[in-house]
Amino acid sequence: MVSRSCASLLDLASGNLLDIPQAPKYLPRVMTVPGIISDLDGYNSNDGDSEVASSICRERKIIVANMLPVHARKDIETGKWCFSLDEDSLYLQLKDGFSPETEFIYVGGLKVDIEASEQEEVSQKLLEDFNCVPTFIPQDLQKKFYLGFCKQQLWPLFHYMLPMCPDHGDRFDRSLWQAYVSANKMFADKVMEVINPDEDYVWIHDYHLMVLPTFLRKRFNRVKLGFFLHSPFPSSEIYRTLAVRDEILRGLLNCDLIGFQTFDYARHFLSCCSRMLGLDYESKRGHIGLDYFGRTVYIKILPVGIHMGRLESVMNLSTTAAKVKEVQERFEGKKVIIGIDDMDIFKGISLKLLAVEQLLQQNPNLRGKVVMVQIINPARGLGKDVEEAKRETYETANRINEVYGSPEYEPVILIDRYVPRYEKTAYYAVSECCIVNAVRDGMNLVPYKYIVCRQGTRFMDEAMGIKLDSPRTSMIVVSEFVGCSPSLSGAIRVNPWDIDAVADALNLAITMRESEKQLRHEKHYRYISTHDVAYWARSFMQDLERACQDHYRKRCWGIGLGLGFRVVSLSPSFRKLSNDHITSAYKRTNRRAIFLDYDGTVISQTSIVKRPSPEVISILRMLSSDPKNTVFIISGRGRSSLSEWLDPCEMVGIAAEHGYFIRWNKASEWEIGTPAADLDWINIVEPIMKLYTEATDGSNIEIKESALVWHHQDADPDFGSCQAKEMLDHLENVLANEPAVVNRGQHIVEVKPQGVSKGLVAGNILLNMVDHGRPPDFVLCIGDDRSDEDMFESILNTVSASSLPAAPEIFACTVGQKPSKAKYYLDDSADVVKLLQGLANASCPKPKYIMPSQGPLFAFEDFLPVNGERSFGVDLDSNPMCLRIWWHNSTFGAILQRFAWIHGGGFWGDVQD
């Protein structure tokens, strides 16, 4: 059943759920040559990809963010809107990482409401003057989208705040989620108006637009998409509480590259993908990649930097110099500690002040000498949480000033107003220490700006009265829960909840020797100056280009509805096995070899009941009853289980335990597929596996006659995988001189004798057919896991190396869309059963009955074996109207059989040998 969160999202994706006006289609798409506008890809077409080759020479990047990097104000006299670029915007500053020839187009919202009658004029002006494409979201929708879902649900959750009760956090509201999806769709519409999907790169920013990639990927299957999350990504235990967790996760996975500030955030995301979607990741040559329906989604870890030139230009302003002198005079003889934070519950402002209070209490000698200047930026959100944080901050500051202050000395100074950049720069420059004490934060750039301001410029040094060649110092106390913490190795890292530890850190920072302060400062400045915003943008885009380089080397198509949409991307030579195609080949061939894996192939991997269904038994009987067929089940399971489950299928061969045991049919004896192996190593392996089983809840040992398998599919995914890797290393060391091999598969670690594999047994069966004068002209092999890849490879090698009169038609098929040595794939075990049913029907077509009035055509004796052959029996086939007579033929060394159709007390109709 489709969940409620997905059921109506096809309507959302079509823009029909909410009454939202369609985006205008007046914006030009692509300039192909000067003066000519090319209207690429009709807006309403749904072919998935553009077929038009662009002749654009200029490289274009489309930057999509919640807000455009522009300031807007309305001229009172003329009534016209006036716009200017926001030079402090990260999205504008990232252009420095690229050549001047690179064209940037910005898609985003405005911080002001524009009347509907003015929107077209504003759009044209912004596009012509600033290359900006505004997204106009109706006011009521904007409120639900931004203040509702983004700020009340996503933002608190991503900062580890759970709505445990209505008084602390808002519960999930589906109407807010629908507004979020609708707003993302409107952003997508704007991108579609200007994108050239064959050439342009789209870079989406932050948690406001996490389902936008799904809409773009649905419209243009090969669109080049990058996403960067500027906020923390929570651990899987926190993220999994989100009601629409899968939709958002799949939205991000529709990108080609996903960027995070720290490894912790990336690790949490990968853990969510593993636990919720069953996706595994691997690292190749330093790059982390997730395989998602044939596409590789790359993960990048890269903290954002600052714009050095912009900050240095502010330091060279005359207003900054004047403010520096003013601040120096005001705090002459005192050590200034600076903190600059937004007013919200996660910035830890009150915890910071409590640490200052503890510092003054424990160190009386610092009273009158230390001043904490806390600049409070305007709150970005609303609500009682913000009001409570503000009230607590003021109460704590007032208490500290009353206890430890005097008419001439205020230990804590709160600046709760808009503070221009030059004034913040002045406070940075004169402060001995900077503290960022957030309990949870993304990439806080305050410490970076502080370091650069302490480095100074020639103009700043003159204003402060510092010699040009004098050593520079700075000290940072930073919370370990802030995104910039890992990159500031010279900072004093603290747990913001530990008030005593923060107080001790502040004391250490202001009393440390000048030489050590200088070394820490130099280390920080070296990193910040080389990892600026230009480096960040350039590095991200280089990885995005690399992630997209295979887009046109694969076939791709979209599957899924609504926000469950994703693109399947496969090699041109790897395609789905068509029932009609294989049935046609099956009918025109006479000697067929059919190799089938068991678990995950004829039986669903997720099925609790592992015994084959009556349908599967019937199909296998029909296939194996055809004398043209040699049918084998090749499995890692033990022979006792397989022989019991496949007991009704007398003619089906079984290769158990990866081919260690082989039985050609029910009547034959079990053979050992390889020379008798030394299995003494089992006594070494079993105790080791038992130790890991006891230590890993949800794991178990499967004991076979020739092998031992440790299963961890029911264990914690991360812990089970970690234990499996540890066990693999352990067993490889102790079995270095033993005739055994250790393999790690999907949720298993298996130890088996050397020289035993599915590939070896499949090759031997084919060679046996050739040796007995029955070389196959049709080979079908279906499997789903790594061990089956050996079969695919072995069949190709055996066939190419054998002296066959003609090359057989080979159908190597894997179950699931994934990289494989097979040429074909089927989606799941249900598709496998359906395909086999089609082949079985081709083997046993419906008989052409003769009317009873014609009388019996054959006597029973006509169906008996010829002289010299030993009969095994007569029974009814799965079809109650079909009689089967079977016997052993000494000439061919095989079981032969005949069929007769029963009707009206006699036997007549088609006879099959």
Side-chain angles (χ1 to χ4, degrees):
M1 178 180 293
V2 179
S3 66
R4 283 188 58 211
S5 61
C6 295
S8 301
L9 290 177
L10 184 59
D11 291 333
L12 279 174
S14 303
N16 298 328
L17 184 66
L18 300 178
D19 186 17
I20 302 170
Q22 288 294 319
K25 307 177 181 61
Y26 52 83
L27 292 177
R29 291 176 179 273
V30 177
M31 296 294 294
T32 54
V33 293
I36 300 178
I37 296 177
S38 172
D39 189 19
L40 295 180
D41 292 328
Y43 183 82
N44 293 320
S45 67
N46 194 27
D47 57 4
D49 272 305
S50 167
E51 300 296 336
V52 181
S54 170
S55 59
I56 298 177
C57 296
R58 192 175 186 188
E59 187 177 332
R60 295 206 320 171
K61 316 292 184 190
I62 299 177
I63 309 298
V64 192
N66 182 45
M67 291 295 169
L68 291 171
V70 295
H71 294 300
R73 66 176 181 83
K74 200 165 190 177
D75 190 288
I76 300 176
E77 296 180 359
T78 63
K80 297 288 186 181
W81 283 102
C82 300
F83 300 97
S84 60
L85 289 175
D86 180 4
E87 299 293 342
D88 295 325
S89 172
L90 174 72
Y91 309 126
L92 197 64
Q93 294 172 353
L94 62 81
K95 293 170 63 175
D96 285 4
F98 305 91
S99 67
E101 289 74 28
T102 303
E103 180 183 5
F104 283 84
I105 296 179
Y106 295 93
V107 178
L110 290 169
K111 297 177 183 178
V112 294
D113 291 328
I114 307 293
E115 296 292 334
S117 59
E118 301 175 298
Q119 289 178 4
E120 183 173 350
E121 180 183 353
V122 167
S123 295
Q124 292 289 1
K125 182 176 180 59
L126 286 172
L127 182 66
E128 293 168 3
D129 296 348
F130 305 103
N131 258 17
C132 289
V133 180
T135 303
F136 300 111
I137 301 178
Q139 192 171 1
D140 56 338
L141 181 65
Q142 172 71 13
K143 184 177 180 181
K144 290 183 177 180
F145 157 62
Y146 182 73
L147 295 178
F149 194 77
C150 290
K151 284 299 180 183
Q152 294 177 18
Q153 297 189 356
L154 278 184
W155 189 76
L157 184 77
F158 278 28
H159 288 76
Y160 287 71
M161 179 178 174
L162 294 176
M164 302 301 293
C165 60
D167 292 337
H168 293 84
D170 294 333
R171 300 284 172 84
F172 177 75
D173 186 334
R174 191 159 298 277
S175 66
L176 300 183
W177 162 243
Q178 291 172 345
Y180 181 84
V181 174
S182 297
N184 274 245
K185 174 62 168 59
M186 296 179 73
F187 276 89
D189 289 341
K190 288 297 182 181
V191 175
M192 291 176 194
E193 290 179 8
V194 295
I195 190 174
N196 172 14
D198 295 329
E199 303 289 343
D200 298 342
Y201 288 87
V202 181
W203 189 357
I204 303 168
H205 291 267
D206 224 1
Y207 63 93
H208 314 90
L209 304 172
M210 289 195 293
V211 297
L212 171 59
T214 296
F215 294 115
L216 295 180
R217 184 69 65 188
K218 184 174 184 180
R219 177 63 183 84
F220 305 112
N221 292 167
R222 291 188 175 93
V223 66
K224 301 166 184 176
L225 274 180
F227 182 94
F228 194 89
L229 183 67
H230 294 267
S231 75
F233 194 93
S235 65
S236 63
E237 290 78 9
I238 299 295
Y239 180 78
R240 280 184 290 170
T241 64
L242 186 61
V244 289
R245 59 192 192 179
D246 285 356
E247 290 85 338
I248 289 178
L249 214 55
R250 291 188 185 278
L252 293 177
L253 289 170
N254 274 320
C255 294
D256 297 295
L257 177 66
I258 307 171
F260 296 94
Q261 304 275 11
T262 70
F263 174 69
D264 275 349
Y265 304 161
R267 179 169 54 85
H268 294 160
F269 174 78
L270 293 170
S271 178
C272 289
C273 291
S274 173
R275 292 171 180 270
M276 283 177 262
L277 302 180
L279 302 178
D280 292 326
Y281 67 92
E282 59 182 355
S283 180
K284 289 184 178 179
R285 298 181 181 179
H287 299 286
I288 301 174
L290 277 162
D291 183 71
Y292 187 60
F293 291 92
R295 293 173 50 247
T296 300
V297 180
Y298 288 92
I299 307 300
K300 186 170 184 63
I301 301 156
L302 184 67
V304 177
I306 62 173
H307 193 284
M308 298 288 292
R310 173 64 177 161
L311 194 51
E312 288 171 356
S313 66
V314 175
M315 285 192 283
N316 291 331
L317 295 175
S318 58
T319 50
T320 305
K323 191 65 180 179
V324 163
K325 292 178 180 178
E326 178 189 328
V327 174
Q328 274 186 316
E329 291 175 1
R330 180 180 178 184
F331 298 112
E332 186 178 0
K334 297 181 176 63
K335 295 182 181 292
V336 178
I337 302 173
I338 185 68
I340 300 179
D341 302 277
D342 296 343
M343 175 52 74
D344 67 52
I345 58 176
F346 299 112
K347 292 300 187 287
I349 298 176
S350 58
L351 293 175
K352 184 190 306 184
L353 298 184
L354 290 174
V356 172
E357 183 178 33
Q358 187 82 339
L359 174 69
L360 296 175
Q361 179 183 343
Q362 294 178 348
N363 301 276
N365 60 308
L366 295 179
R367 298 171 189 173
K369 299 179 181 178
V370 174
V371 176
M372 173 74 213
V373 177
Q374 177 63 53
I375 297 177
I376 301 174
N377 296 324
R380 299 185 186 183
L382 303 173
K384 57 187 176 183
D385 289 333
V386 174
E387 295 300 322
E388 289 178 4
K390 189 171 185 177
R391 177 178 51 79
E392 183 181 5
T393 297
Y394 273 91
E395 288 178 355
T396 305
N398 291 336
R399 183 179 69 248
I400 295 172
N401 289 335
E402 288 175 3
V403 175
Y404 301 103
S406 66
E408 299 81 21
Y409 169 62
E410 274 189 307
V412 176
I413 297 175
L414 296 181
I415 304 177
D416 189 4
R417 56 174 171 79
Y418 169 74
V419 178
R421 178 173 287 269
Y422 75 87
E423 186 175 348
K424 291 179 181 178
T425 302
Y427 277 106
Y428 281 138
V430 300
S431 299
E432 292 284 328
C433 174
C434 175
I435 177 170
V436 176
N437 205 48
V439 297
R440 187 70 60 180
D441 204 357
M443 192 61 197
N444 194 313
L445 296 178
V446 165
Y448 287 15
K449 296 174 182 177
Y450 166 72
I451 294 293
V452 175
C453 290
R454 290 289 289 178
Q455 181 69 18
T457 64
R458 181 185 297 270
F459 188 80
M460 177 72 78
D461 292 346
E462 291 177 0
M464 297 182 67
I466 300 175
K467 295 181 180 180
L468 293 178
D469 56 350
S470 61
R472 310 299 164 138
T473 62
S474 62
M475 282 303 301
I476 298 173
V477 176
V478 62
S479 163
E480 62 191 53
F481 303 117
V482 176
C484 63
S485 175
S487 60
L488 295 171
S489 56
I492 303 175
R493 297 190 181 97
V494 294
N495 174 5
W497 302 100
D498 188 346
I499 305 300
D500 291 337
V502 178
D504 291 342
L506 289 174
N507 186 34
L508 176 62
I510 59 180
T511 58
M512 186 178 289
R513 289 178 303 171
E514 293 297 307
S515 59
E516 186 171 349
K517 290 182 182 180
Q518 180 183 346
L519 290 174
R520 291 175 184 252
H521 171 82
E522 289 174 353
K523 185 176 186 179
H524 288 158
Y525 184 76
R526 191 182 311 115
Y527 172 82
I528 294 168
S529 60
T530 55
H531 292 74
D532 60 357
V533 66
Y535 171 86
W536 168 74
R538 184 170 57 253
S539 178
F540 184 91
M541 195 56 67
Q542 286 173 350
D543 275 12
L544 179 58
E545 291 172 0
R546 180 184 55 81
C548 299
Q549 64 186 1
D550 290 335
H551 271 201
Y552 287 91
R553 298 178 187 174
K554 294 184 177 182
R555 295 179 301 113
C556 65
W557 61 94
I559 60 173
L561 299 176
L563 295 183
F565 177 85
R566 61 268 189 200
V567 166
V568 177
S569 181
L570 300 173
S571 168
S573 60
F574 188 56
R575 58 184 184 273
K576 189 168 185 177
L577 185 54
S578 163
N579 287 8
D580 293 339
H581 176 53
I582 192 172
T583 302
S584 174
Y586 183 87
K587 288 180 177 179
R588 65 174 177 263
T589 51
N590 295 302
R591 295 176 303 278
R592 313 180 189 112
I594 301 175
F595 304 117
L596 303 172
D597 175 43
Y598 190 78
D599 293 283
T601 302
V602 295
I603 299 297
S604 173
Q605 192 74 52
T606 58
S607 175
I608 298 177
V609 179
K610 297 302 181 182
R611 181 181 292 274
S613 65
E615 180 188 13
V616 170
I617 291 294
S618 175
I619 291 170
L620 291 176
R621 290 188 64 182
M622 293 172 71
L623 284 172
S624 60
S625 295
D626 189 333
K628 298 178 181 179
N629 294 345
T630 298
V631 181
F632 259 85
I633 295 292
I634 303 180
S635 172
R637 284 192 173 271
R639 57 177 172 173
S640 59
S641 299
L642 291 174
S643 58
E644 177 190 351
W645 293 341
L646 300 172
D647 183 70
C649 307
E650 296 91 344
M651 305 302 299
V652 172
I654 299 175
E657 300 189 16
H658 297 291
Y660 186 81
F661 295 107
I662 300 176
R663 190 181 75 180
W664 290 82
N665 51 61
K666 184 178 179 180
S668 62
E669 298 295 327
W670 285 100
E671 306 170 4
I672 295 180
T674 57
D678 178 10
L679 300 180
D680 290 343
W681 50 263
I682 290 179
N683 297 324
I684 301 173
V685 173
E686 189 171 1
I688 295 174
M689 284 192 172
K690 285 182 177 179
L691 287 175
Y692 282 90
T693 303
E694 292 171 0
T696 312
D697 185 37
S699 65
N700 62 84
I701 304 174
E702 180 187 358
I703 300 177
K704 302 178 182 179
E705 294 180 70
S706 69
L708 293 175
V709 186
W710 187 72
H711 297 266
H712 62 92
Q713 65 266 24
D714 295 327
D716 177 89
D718 293 332
F719 185 55
S721 179
C722 177
Q723 291 288 79
K725 185 178 184 304
E726 175 74 20
M727 179 189 290
L728 184 71
D729 294 339
H730 190 168
L731 291 174
E732 284 179 341
N733 287 332
V734 300
L735 297 176
N737 298 317
E738 298 291 336
V741 293
V742 187
N743 292 322
R744 184 178 176 189
Q746 187 173 8
H747 305 305
I748 67 165
V749 175
E750 182 175 33
V751 186
K752 62 183 181 180
Q754 288 180 345
V756 175
S757 72
K758 290 184 177 182
L760 183 64
V761 70
N764 289 340
I765 293 170
L766 291 176
L767 291 175
N768 183 277
M769 295 178 68
V770 173
D771 292 343
H772 283 81
R774 302 180 66 246
D777 51 9
F778 173 99
V779 179
L780 170 63
C781 180
I782 309 179
D784 75 307
D785 61 18
R786 294 178 187 175
S787 63
D788 300 312
E789 296 295 318
D790 294 338
M791 278 201 294
F792 303 147
E793 185 176 19
S794 175
I795 288 170
L796 294 173
N797 293 339
T798 302
V799 168
S800 61
S802 300
S803 55
L804 300 177
E809 296 194 60
I810 299 176
F811 296 90
C813 177
T814 187
V815 181
Q817 299 159 346
K818 58 183 182 291
S820 172
K821 295 174 184 176
K823 186 178 179 180
Y824 301 96
Y825 75 91
L826 291 170
D827 290 329
D828 49 36
S829 58
D831 276 359
V832 174
V833 173
K834 184 178 178 181
L835 180 138
L836 295 177
Q837 180 69 67
L839 300 183
N841 291 339
S843 278
C844 298
K846 292 182 179 180
K848 300 176 182 178
Y849 291 107
I850 302 175
M851 295 300 295
S853 58
Q854 295 177 293
L857 298 181
F858 306 102
F860 181 79
E861 289 76 14
D862 293 330
F863 293 89
L864 291 178
V866 298
N867 293 333
E869 295 177 339
R870 183 163 55 91
S871 174
F872 277 87
V874 179
D875 61 10
L876 291 177
D877 195 53
S878 56
N879 187 330
M881 300 299 291
C882 182
L883 183 71
R884 186 170 67 95
I885 305 97
W886 47 284
W887 65 94
H888 180 269
N889 184 293
S890 56
T891 304
F892 294 100
I895 300 293
L896 300 183
Q897 56 193 345
R898 290 182 177 177
F899 292 86
W901 299 96
I902 307 171
H903 192 80
F907 304 87
W908 61 85
D910 293 340
V911 179
Q912 298 181 357
D913 286 326

Short mmCIF file of all heavy atoms in Angstrom, two decimals, residues 803-823:
data_model
loop_
_atom_site.label_atom_id
_atom_site.label_comp_id
_atom_site.label_asym_id
_atom_site.label_seq_id
_atom_site.Cartn_x
_atom_site.Cartn_y
_atom_site.Cartn_z
N SER A 803 35.53 -26.64 -27.86
CA SER A 803 35.41 -26.87 -29.31
C SER A 803 33.96 -27.24 -29.61
O SER A 803 33.59 -28.41 -29.67
CB SER A 803 36.35 -27.99 -29.73
OG SER A 803 36.12 -29.16 -28.97
N LEU A 804 33.13 -26.24 -29.76
CA LEU A 804 31.72 -26.44 -30.05
C LEU A 804 31.47 -26.28 -31.55
O LEU A 804 32.11 -25.44 -32.19
CB LEU A 804 30.86 -25.44 -29.28
CG LEU A 804 30.98 -25.50 -27.75
CD1 LEU A 804 30.14 -24.40 -27.12
CD2 LEU A 804 30.54 -26.85 -27.23
N PRO A 805 30.54 -27.05 -32.09
CA PRO A 805 30.22 -26.89 -33.51
C PRO A 805 29.69 -25.50 -33.83
O PRO A 805 29.90 -24.98 -34.93
CB PRO A 805 29.16 -27.97 -33.77
CG PRO A 805 28.67 -28.37 -32.42
CD PRO A 805 29.77 -28.14 -31.45
N ALA A 806 29.02 -24.91 -32.87
CA ALA A 806 28.50 -23.55 -33.05
C ALA A 806 28.39 -22.89 -31.69
O ALA A 806 28.13 -23.56 -30.68
CB ALA A 806 27.14 -23.58 -33.75
N ALA A 807 28.59 -21.60 -31.65
CA ALA A 807 28.50 -20.87 -30.38
C ALA A 807 27.05 -20.86 -29.90
O ALA A 807 26.15 -20.51 -30.67
CB ALA A 807 29.01 -19.45 -30.55
N PRO A 808 26.79 -21.26 -28.66
CA PRO A 808 25.42 -21.25 -28.16
C PRO A 808 24.93 -19.83 -27.88
O PRO A 808 25.74 -18.90 -27.73
CB PRO A 808 25.52 -22.06 -26.86
CG PRO A 808 26.91 -21.83 -26.39
CD PRO A 808 27.74 -21.72 -27.63
N GLU A 809 23.64 -19.68 -27.80
CA GLU A 809 23.05 -18.41 -27.37
C GLU A 809 23.11 -18.39 -25.85
O GLU A 809 22.57 -19.27 -25.19
CB GLU A 809 21.61 -18.29 -27.88
CG GLU A 809 21.51 -18.22 -29.39
CD GLU A 809 20.12 -17.76 -29.84
OE1 GLU A 809 19.73 -16.62 -29.46
OE2 GLU A 809 19.44 -18.51 -30.53
N ILE A 810 23.78 -17.38 -25.32
CA ILE A 810 23.99 -17.29 -23.87
C ILE A 810 23.15 -16.16 -23.30
O ILE A 810 23.19 -15.03 -23.78
CB ILE A 810 25.48 -17.06 -23.55
CG1 ILE A 810 26.33 -18.22 -24.08
CG2 ILE A 810 25.69 -16.90 -22.05
CD1 ILE A 810 27.80 -18.01 -23.89
N PHE A 811 22.41 -16.48 -22.25
CA PHE A 811 21.60 -15.49 -21.55
C PHE A 811 22.03 -15.49 -20.07
O PHE A 811 21.47 -16.20 -19.25
CB PHE A 811 20.11 -15.83 -21.67
CG PHE A 811 19.59 -15.77 -23.07
CD1 PHE A 811 19.61 -16.89 -23.89
CD2 PHE A 811 19.09 -14.59 -23.60
CE1 PHE A 811 19.15 -16.85 -25.19
CE2 PHE A 811 18.62 -14.53 -24.90
CZ PHE A 811 18.65 -15.66 -25.70
N ALA A 812 23.08 -14.70 -19.78
CA ALA A 812 23.52 -14.51 -18.39
C ALA A 812 22.73 -13.34 -17.83
O ALA A 812 22.76 -12.23 -18.37
CB ALA A 812 25.01 -14.23 -18.35
N CYS A 813 22.04 -13.57 -16.72
CA CYS A 813 21.07 -12.58 -16.23
C CYS A 813 21.20 -12.42 -14.72
O CYS A 813 21.16 -13.41 -13.97
CB CYS A 813 19.65 -13.03 -16.60
SG CYS A 813 18.35 -11.96 -16.00
N THR A 814 21.37 -11.20 -14.26
CA THR A 814 21.41 -10.92 -12.83
C THR A 814 20.06 -10.39 -12.36
O THR A 814 19.31 -9.81 -13.15
CB THR A 814 22.52 -9.90 -12.50
OG1 THR A 814 22.64 -9.77 -11.08
CG2 THR A 814 22.21 -8.53 -13.09
N VAL A 815 19.76 -10.59 -11.09
CA VAL A 815 18.49 -10.13 -10.53
C VAL A 815 18.75 -8.80 -9.82
O VAL A 815 19.51 -8.73 -8.86
CB VAL A 815 17.91 -11.16 -9.54
CG1 VAL A 815 16.58 -10.66 -8.98
CG2 VAL A 815 17.72 -12.50 -10.24
N GLY A 816 18.13 -7.76 -10.31
CA GLY A 816 18.35 -6.42 -9.78
C GLY A 816 19.20 -5.59 -10.72
O GLY A 816 20.08 -6.12 -11.40
N GLN A 817 18.93 -4.30 -10.75
CA GLN A 817 19.66 -3.40 -11.65
C GLN A 817 20.92 -2.93 -10.95
O GLN A 817 20.89 -2.06 -10.09
CB GLN A 817 18.77 -2.22 -12.02
CG GLN A 817 17.52 -2.66 -12.76
CD GLN A 817 16.42 -1.63 -12.68
OE1 GLN A 817 16.48 -0.71 -11.88
NE2 GLN A 817 15.39 -1.79 -13.49
N LYS A 818 22.04 -3.57 -11.29
CA LYS A 818 23.30 -3.27 -10.63
C LYS A 818 24.44 -3.66 -11.55
O LYS A 818 24.26 -4.42 -12.50
CB LYS A 818 23.38 -4.06 -9.33
CG LYS A 818 23.26 -5.58 -9.51
CD LYS A 818 23.29 -6.28 -8.17
CE LYS A 818 23.21 -7.80 -8.31
NZ LYS A 818 21.89 -8.23 -8.80
N PRO A 819 25.64 -3.14 -11.30
CA PRO A 819 26.79 -3.53 -12.12
C PRO A 819 26.99 -5.04 -12.05
O PRO A 819 26.95 -5.64 -10.98
CB PRO A 819 27.95 -2.78 -11.46
CG PRO A 819 27.32 -1.62 -10.78
CD PRO A 819 25.98 -2.11 -10.32
N SER A 820 27.20 -5.67 -13.21
CA SER A 820 27.28 -7.12 -13.25
C SER A 820 28.06 -7.55 -14.50
O SER A 820 28.16 -6.82 -15.48
CB SER A 820 25.88 -7.73 -13.26
OG SER A 820 25.91 -9.12 -13.49
N LYS A 821 28.59 -8.79 -14.44
CA LYS A 821 29.22 -9.39 -15.61
C LYS A 821 28.18 -9.96 -16.56
O LYS A 821 28.52 -10.37 -17.67
CB LYS A 821 30.19 -10.48 -15.17
CG LYS A 821 31.37 -9.96 -14.35
CD LYS A 821 32.23 -11.09 -13.81
CE LYS A 821 33.34 -10.53 -12.92
NZ LYS A 821 34.14 -11.61 -12.30
N ALA A 822 26.94 -10.01 -16.10
CA ALA A 822 25.85 -10.50 -16.95
C ALA A 822 25.47 -9.43 -17.96
O ALA A 822 25.66 -8.23 -17.74
CB ALA A 822 24.64 -10.89 -16.11
N LYS A 823 24.88 -9.90 -19.06
CA LYS A 823 24.46 -8.97 -20.11
C LYS A 823 23.04 -8.50 -19.90
O LYS A 823 22.64 -7.45 -20.40
CB LYS A 823 24.59 -9.67 -21.47
CG LYS A 823 24.31 -8.79 -22.67
CD LYS A 823 24.51 -9.56 -23.96
CE LYS A 823 24.22 -8.69 -25.19
NZ LYS A 823 24.41 -9.44 -26.45
#
